Amino acid sequence: MARVALVTGGSRGIGEAISIALKDRGYTVAANYAGNEKKAEEFTKKTGIATYKFDVGDFSACEEGIKKITAELGPVEVLVNNAGITRDTTINRMDVGQWEDVIRTNLTSCFNLSRLVIEHMREVGFGRIINIGSINGQAGQYGQVNYAAAKSGIHGFTKALAQEGAGKGITVNAIAPGYIDTEMVRAVPENVLEKIIAKIPVKRLGKPEEIAEGVCFLASDNSGFITGSTLSINGGQHMY
Ligand code: NDP
């Protein structure tokens, strides 16, 4: 039977490309989203992939979401923690809400969902957890102390959980994308974006499909010897 893959934030942007690529590789995919109903409906119409609305930063909401996915599709054996937000501003202007929203959505979400799927993975002796970090978690970024802290936290989370899962057939890896052409990046002012692209050795933004390819590689049953790694997909911008 096909393995069930859950992609958080899986209905648009990088997550949409990941959901589609996993479906094309034969997984039964559940795509989570936060509240953009219009985009989620268009996505299901286009792909036939089921969507599940819940807030990844809220443990009880995740618990309900996982229950529903398990009942409708089966237990999750591939988890892609992709949902993320930005609330950019320098620390002297940042309020507690902007700090907490980003930590909850980008980092606490990885705990919430991993905690809820790990028991099944331990029982069956197989699991793949892939966490989407960021180049800005590796290198830092002006105006992003909240986002860089959350994404950097993902890299530590990945290495610690990889050690816990290693004896149980569960691999845990991260992908650190560089600048990828999605709504998140299109929100950056054009003049700033031009300067960013000038610093990328391949001289362009990445495509969501290029991140999805990395996820499929790490999700594969054949990738069981790769764990605790971070795959940087950034056009050569940061060679970490
Ligand atoms: P988008 O803004 O295009 O999409 C974000 C997705 O996450 C949407 O599906 C959104 O749902 C969902 N989401 C947001 N908050 C929540 C929440 N609380 N609960 C559930 N789902 C939520 O983002 P990208 O595709 O650009 O980014 C995807 C990931 O990649 C993020 O973790 C981001 O930090 C990371 N990344 C992106 C880079 C880039 O250049 N784009 C670079 C490096 C890392 P809804 O549609 O309902 O709003």
Side-chain angles (χ1 to χ4, degrees):
M1 226 171 71
R3 295 195 189 282
V4 175
L6 167 60
V7 183
T8 68
S11 61
R12 65 184 171 93
I14 293 172
E16 175 177 13
I18 296 171
S19 297
I20 293 170
L22 287 170
K23 185 186 175 200
D24 288 349
R25 304 290 206 284
Y27 295 86
T28 300
V29 178
N32 148 266
Y33 69 106
N36 190 334
E37 307 285 358
K38 189 170 171 275
K39 186 64 210 176
E41 273 168 34
E42 284 169 13
F43 166 82
T44 300
K45 211 167 160 192
K46 183 169 100 181
T47 63
I49 296 171
T51 55
Y52 295 84
K53 177 179 163 181
F54 57 89
D55 176 2
V56 293
D58 175 338
F59 188 81
S60 307
C62 290
E63 211 167 12
E64 287 308 305
I66 292 291
K67 255 190 217 160
K68 197 162 183 238
I69 293 166
T70 306
E72 292 179 6
L73 306 180
V76 173
E77 292 179 353
V78 176
L79 168 64
V80 186
N81 284 311
N82 163 76
I85 57 168
T86 50
R87 297 286 182 267
D88 294 355
T89 189
T90 52
I91 197 165
N92 52 308
R93 294 170 203 271
M94 189 175 290
D95 61 33
V96 174
Q98 288 168 315
W99 169 263
E100 286 181 353
D101 282 353
V102 170
I103 300 294
R104 262 181 77 252
T105 307
N106 297 11
L107 180 60
T108 305
S109 57
C110 294
F111 165 77
N112 290 343
L113 287 156
S114 302
R115 176 68 187 84
L116 289 162
V117 301
I118 205 87
E119 276 165 28
H120 171 78
M121 291 179 175
R122 286 169 61 89
E123 272 165 31
V124 296
F126 178 89
R128 296 281 182 266
I129 297 177
I130 298 146
N131 301 313
I132 306 300
S134 170
I135 188 173
N136 294 349
Q138 297 171 311
Q141 179 60 266
Y142 183 94
Q144 286 197 325
V145 292
N146 49 2
Y147 185 84
K151 293 298 188 182
S152 178
I154 282 182
H155 298 299
F157 176 91
T158 298
K159 290 179 199 173
L161 188 55
Q163 292 179 30
E164 294 183 16
K168 297 277 180 193
I170 303 165
T171 67
V172 188
N173 292 288
I175 291 184
Y179 285 82
I180 309 299
D181 191 6
T182 68
E183 278 170 39
M184 186 183 269
V185 162
R186 273 178 241 130
V188 174
E190 181 116 6
N191 60 328
V192 178
L193 202 54
E194 276 169 18
K195 284 185 195 146
I196 290 171
I197 293 172
K199 286 189 193 145
I200 303 174
V202 303
K203 298 290 176 226
R204 65 170 175 85
L205 295 175
K207 298 178 202 148
E209 293 73 21
E210 291 172 315
I211 304 303
E213 198 58 35
V215 170
C216 290
F217 168 62
L218 294 171
S220 164
D221 280 28
N222 297 326
S223 294
F225 204 55
I226 307 171
T227 195
S229 293
T230 296
L231 179 57
S232 294
I233 305 180
N234 61 26
Q237 191 182 352
H238 182 66
M239 299 187 186
Y240 189 72

